[in-house]
Amino acid sequence: MKAGAPKLLNILKMALLFLLCAFSILFQGYNADLNLNINTVDENSQDNHFVFPKANSLVLPNPSDYFSRDLVSTPLPTNSFFQNFVLKNGDQPEYIQPYLIRSANSSISISYPSQNISSVLVEEIFRPDLTISALKNPKPTQRHVISAYSDLSVILDLPSSNLRFFLVRGSPYLTFAVNGKTSISISTGDSIRKLSRDGSFTKYTIRLRNQQTWILYASSPIHLTHTVSTINFGGFSGVIRIALLANSDSTFEKILDEHSSAYPVSGSATFGSFALKYKWDVKGAGKLLILAHPLHRRLLTKANAPVTVLEDFKYRSTDGELVGVIGDTWDLEAESILVSWHSIKGLTKKSIPEIIRALDKDVKTLNASNISTTSSYFYGKLIGRAARLALIAEEVSYPKIKPVVVKFLKDMIEPWLNGKFGANGFFYEEKWGGLVTKQGINDTAADFGFGIYNDHHFHLGYFVYGISVLTKFDPSWGNQYKKQAYSLMEDYMNLGPEENQHYTRLRNFDLWKLHSWASGVTEFPFGRNQESTSEAINAYYSAALMGSAYGDADLVSVGSTLAALEIQSAQTWWHVKGDNKIYAPRFVKNNKVVGILWSRKRDSILWFAAAERKDIRLSIQVLPLLPITEVLFSDVDYVKELVKWALTSVPKNRTEEGWKGFVYALEAIYKPNQALKKVRDLSSHDDGNTLSNLLWWIHSRK
């Protein structure tokens, strides 16, 4: 009996535990399938942040293959400029301007890419110009290791080669440290025409048959030997810098010489109000030389951090000419924008009755029990759609519908915050450190890849918008769900571990390019990509509104700043005006807006539509239609070009009415009466849009 008692007790304990778990799953709402591998979580953890229930993803890659051990223990970037380096074989190139960099077989290849240009695309072509490796490497297939990264740089180590590469964005030099008196080999993509040196043996000029000239700088004297396509040097410890001589003018080479000793090892960005400050950690002597892209040039101010701009020191890139800037601190000032709940210019009194009639009809369609979609994206759009009705009603002083919309929003949002939705829901996975969905745990295609960190800011932006509006109208509800609300927002808006240790820093926003990426932890030959800038803007605009609803001035500031930068990036690289100087004339002639923007490619196509569907290409850069849309499309002359171009592909029958609404919305900027007639004639609308919203937009054009 004594021997059997503990066994019986254990059985009873197990049975009780099982019943408790079943009770929890049934009544607390986190009713995920058992194959989700759910882990328990303490919502009242010491860091005071809400963490959604934990789940183990079956589809995410293992980050420990490439990140150093200390980094793996922290949330990791999932849309970074070096993402290809940590996916699959880690051997797809990344565009670290002005070069394409590829890591493979314990070597690093550098390419100053040529461009393939047509009427439908612009792309950078990777061809290894120089490949750097260690001679007699005992482990030539050993993987590289990401040992550190920052906003503007990444450190990539080749452990078996004793090489450490400081890959800093915008640096005209490829910089690496050599340890342990290692012998180095540099192979060339084309044959060597001439190798020469200076008297100090610290500068070598490499001239290739393809007319390229590269300059190698060494921190101490070295002796290079070469064959037809290989350069070797032995027993070296120190720093090597290699730069392409992009211009044969002697002044260009002198600039490279003058700044060859000051090398950056990392770079950070800090926020101000509609401002960013770049600061590089610089080693060596002299002043730092970094290249600025066109948007940097527009935002760069010399007020607080004096810099010298070298207008004639240029490298080409997909993003436009890169211009030299001397200085280890940059101040960037974005144009300030107004983040408001309502229309910027207001409505005319005579328009209000028509809007109210539309509101009455649209509100009658709100019934959470009739919603069939379980997709986090389409569900989010429906939340955003309803939230717009509440704000429009407030603007036209029509409080009658407020209770209906508020109830609908609560019915729609709460199940995702408390885990009672059932068919889908948000979970936290620890491998990379972020939110995934129940459907995305086992399926990379579910929820448009949300489970592999695709489109997080798009999906969550709609939820954050709805939560913000609901909190505005019902502050007590907002306070009840504040921790969950902030957890959703911080998945893509977290500024760092000091704010929330569960999420990586700014999951989607690229602090160098000054816009977001959407593609998550999927390897792509052309790097990261983003399709819809307007949905990215919505994410940061909605975060600013959340700050307003909760009285969080810091969140208002950061959200507004990111929205402003995303807008100015969209206007720089997605909006293709007739006088565009960034892209080749052949591409500009045929495109008024980019479809998919990649790190090193510009596409006319969309993920779901051919290049010929210009109306859809326009629409995906407009939705959702919001007060902030007016700021995004403030250039009326460009809007005229864009609409005229898109109207040629609008279907003439009653199909796909939803896309037409966005085309007509932009047409209303300069032809409101004509657009109003077209909108009134629409038989249906996009699932995130309504007649009320279109009428509100058109009647607020003044």
Side-chain angles (χ1 to χ4, degrees):
M1 289 293 295
K2 289 182 179 179
K7 184 175 181 180
L8 179 61
L9 184 60
N10 285 335
I11 291 172
L12 290 172
K13 284 182 177 178
M14 290 293 291
L16 180 59
L17 180 61
F18 178 82
L19 289 172
L20 286 172
C21 288
F23 182 88
S24 175
I25 290 172
L26 180 63
F27 291 99
Q28 292 184 17
Y30 291 120
N31 50 352
D33 297 333
L34 291 179
N35 65 353
L36 292 183
N37 300 315
I38 304 297
N39 299 316
T40 59
V41 64
D42 180 8
E43 294 179 12
N44 298 310
S45 57
Q46 290 183 353
D47 64 13
N48 204 33
H49 289 99
F50 178 86
V51 181
F52 282 88
K54 294 181 181 178
N56 297 323
S57 170
L58 302 180
V59 296
L60 282 168
N62 189 356
S64 64
D65 290 343
Y66 293 103
F67 285 99
S68 64
R69 187 174 301 175
D70 59 325
L71 291 179
V72 169
S73 64
T74 66
L76 296 168
T78 56
N79 270 288
S80 73
F81 67 94
F82 61 87
Q83 206 68 47
N84 275 346
F85 292 161
V86 298
L87 300 174
K88 292 189 176 180
N89 294 325
D91 59 358
Q92 286 292 341
E94 285 288 20
Y95 196 20
I96 302 177
Q97 294 174 338
Y99 305 117
L100 286 171
I101 305 294
R102 179 176 184 260
S103 175
N105 299 321
S106 288
S107 67
I108 290 290
S109 296
I110 180 172
S111 170
Y112 184 58
S114 59
Q115 290 189 343
N116 175 32
I117 300 169
S118 73
S119 61
V120 296
L121 61 82
V122 179
E123 62 184 6
E124 303 278 9
I125 305 301
F126 175 80
R127 180 180 182 274
D129 294 318
L130 303 176
T131 299
I132 301 149
S133 60
L135 283 171
K136 300 178 181 179
N137 186 344
K139 298 179 180 179
T141 60
Q142 185 178 22
R143 287 175 167 173
H144 61 249
V145 174
I146 301 299
S147 59
Y149 61 88
S150 64
D151 298 327
L152 311 177
S153 64
V154 61
I155 295 178
L156 185 148
D157 293 338
L158 302 180
S160 64
S161 301
N162 293 325
L163 299 179
R164 165 167 286 187
F165 288 82
F166 303 102
L167 303 178
V168 179
R169 306 177 80 179
S171 175
Y173 311 88
L174 174 66
T175 306
F176 60 98
V178 186
N179 298 313
K181 292 192 175 296
T182 302
S183 296
I184 301 297
S185 171
I186 302 175
S187 60
T188 60
D190 213 325
S191 57
I192 300 169
R193 183 163 56 90
K194 185 179 181 181
L195 177 67
S196 58
R197 60 169 175 78
D198 69 355
S200 68
F201 289 86
T202 58
K203 176 187 175 183
Y204 284 79
T205 302
I206 307 165
R207 292 181 171 85
L208 305 180
R209 294 287 180 186
N210 63 2
Q211 305 305 311
Q212 284 186 344
T213 298
W214 296 82
I215 302 176
L216 182 149
Y217 301 95
S219 58
S220 60
I222 56 173
H223 297 273
L224 272 56
T225 60
H226 75 95
T227 62
V228 174
S229 58
T230 303
I231 299 170
N232 296 327
F233 57 96
F236 180 77
S237 293
V239 174
I240 298 291
R241 308 196 80 192
I242 299 175
L244 177 84
L245 190 63
N247 188 317
S248 59
D249 186 277
S250 59
T251 304
F252 199 98
E253 183 172 352
K254 288 179 181 177
I255 293 171
L256 286 174
D257 290 347
E258 183 178 351
H259 300 281
S260 61
S261 297
Y263 63 95
V265 297
S266 67
S268 62
T270 55
F271 282 92
S273 178
F274 296 106
L276 280 179
K277 181 184 287 290
Y278 289 170
K279 179 67 178 177
W280 287 271
D281 181 12
V282 182
K283 307 297 182 184
K287 295 182 179 180
L288 179 66
L289 173 64
I290 295 286
L291 303 173
H293 59 57
L295 186 53
H296 285 147
R297 286 287 295 109
R298 289 215 307 272
L299 305 184
L300 190 63
T301 174
K302 302 178 183 180
N304 299 316
V307 294
T308 302
V309 179
L310 307 176
E311 298 289 358
D312 295 325
F313 186 86
K314 298 176 182 179
Y315 286 75
R316 67 169 183 267
S317 82
T318 312
D319 297 315
E321 287 186 332
L322 307 176
V323 176
V325 177
I326 300 171
D328 62 9
T329 303
W330 293 5
D331 280 324
L332 305 176
E333 291 186 358
E335 295 178 18
S336 62
I337 61 171
L338 176 64
V339 172
S340 68
W341 297 97
H342 302 128
S343 61
I344 295 174
K345 297 177 181 177
L347 294 162
T348 59
K349 286 186 178 180
K350 66 178 182 180
S351 68
I352 291 177
E354 182 180 21
I355 295 173
I356 288 176
R357 289 194 297 272
L359 283 169
D360 282 330
K361 290 181 180 179
D362 287 330
V363 167
K364 289 178 181 178
T365 67
L366 300 182
N367 187 339
S369 62
N370 289 340
I371 304 301
S372 59
T373 184
T374 60
S375 159
S376 57
Y377 175 71
F378 291 116
Y379 206 92
K381 287 185 72 177
L382 293 175
I383 290 171
R385 173 184 181 270
R388 288 293 310 131
L389 297 178
L391 288 174
I392 294 168
E394 182 181 58
E395 186 168 353
V396 298
S397 300
Y398 190 57
K400 174 184 174 182
I401 67 168
K402 173 185 169 182
V404 179
V405 180
V406 167
K407 181 182 183 304
F408 177 81
L409 288 174
K410 289 180 180 180
D411 291 344
M412 292 285 284
I413 295 170
E414 284 181 11
W416 288 80
L417 300 184
N418 60 27
K420 295 181 180 179
F421 185 60
N424 206 349
F426 294 121
F427 292 87
Y428 181 83
E429 72 82 23
E430 294 181 292
K431 191 180 289 185
W432 292 83
L435 295 183
V436 292
T437 58
K438 177 181 176 180
Q439 294 181 5
I441 292 289
N442 303 313
D443 184 356
T444 59
D447 293 322
F448 294 99
F450 192 95
I452 51 175
Y453 289 102
N454 190 58
D455 293 353
H456 270 216
H457 56 328
F458 295 168
H459 297 222
L460 297 175
Y462 286 111
F463 279 86
V464 170
Y465 185 77
I467 291 168
S468 303
V469 172
L470 189 48
T471 300
K472 181 180 191 294
F473 289 118
D474 190 344
S476 63
W477 181 94
N479 288 330
Q480 180 183 352
Y481 287 101
K482 183 176 181 179
K483 288 186 178 181
Q484 293 94 322
Y486 267 66
S487 188
L488 289 183
M489 176 272 296
E490 287 173 339
D491 177 79
Y492 67 90
M493 274 280 294
N494 187 38
L495 292 184
E498 67 281 355
E499 293 215 359
N500 191 327
Q501 64 182 8
H502 302 289
Y503 297 122
T504 189
R505 175 170 163 85
L506 294 174
R507 185 176 307 285
N508 298 93
F509 196 84
D510 185 327
L511 286 162
W512 174 259
K513 277 299 303 295
L514 305 178
H515 64 74
S516 299
W517 300 113
S519 44
V521 291
T522 300
E523 179 189 66
F524 290 107
F526 291 99
R528 301 303 91 201
N529 69 77
Q530 179 167 265
E531 191 174 57
S532 177
T533 57
S534 50
E535 288 183 300
I537 292 162
N538 174 60
Y540 305 119
Y541 166 74
S542 298
L545 293 182
M546 178 175 279
S548 177
Y550 281 113
D552 185 341
D554 289 339
L555 182 55
V556 172
S557 177
V558 175
S560 300
T561 298
L562 289 172
L565 292 170
E566 193 84 40
I567 286 171
Q568 289 173 237
S569 287
Q571 293 168 340
T572 301
W573 288 301
W574 273 265
H575 297 183
V576 186
K577 303 176 185 179
D579 60 354
N580 183 284
K581 302 301 181 185
I582 290 177
Y583 303 131
R586 188 178 178 188
F587 185 80
V588 172
K589 181 180 178 181
N590 288 277
N591 299 277
K592 291 302 175 186
V593 68
V594 171
I596 304 172
L597 187 143
W598 302 79
S599 301
R600 61 181 179 104
K601 185 183 182 183
R602 304 293 182 265
D603 250 328
S604 298
I605 63 170
L606 300 173
W607 287 110
F608 60 97
E612 290 75 21
R613 288 304 304 270
K614 301 171 184 176
D615 56 322
I616 301 180
R617 222 193 307 173
L618 173 151
S619 298
I620 204 65
Q621 302 299 337
V622 175
L623 63 85
L625 194 61
L626 301 163
I628 199 73
T629 308
E630 184 166 333
V631 183
L632 177 60
F633 291 98
S634 57
D635 186 334
V636 178
D637 290 336
Y638 167 65
V639 171
K640 290 178 181 178
E641 292 180 34
L642 177 61
V643 172
K644 181 181 178 181
W645 171 81
L647 282 171
T648 60
S649 66
V650 171
K652 306 213 180 279
N653 53 27
R654 285 289 182 181
T655 63
E656 302 180 83
E657 297 274 88
W659 299 120
K660 295 177 185 178
F662 297 112
V663 178
Y664 301 156
L666 288 197
E667 187 177 23
I669 291 175
Y670 61 96
K671 286 185 177 179
N673 293 332
Q674 182 171 312
L676 184 60
K677 291 179 182 178
K678 293 179 180 179
V679 162
R680 286 170 175 163
D681 190 48
L682 290 174
S683 60
S684 62
H685 305 282
D686 176 73
D687 53 358
N689 202 14
T690 60
L691 177 60
S692 299
N693 199 37
L694 286 168
L695 292 175
W696 160 84
W697 169 264
I698 294 173
H699 286 306
S700 61
R701 304 303 93 211
K702 290 183 179 180

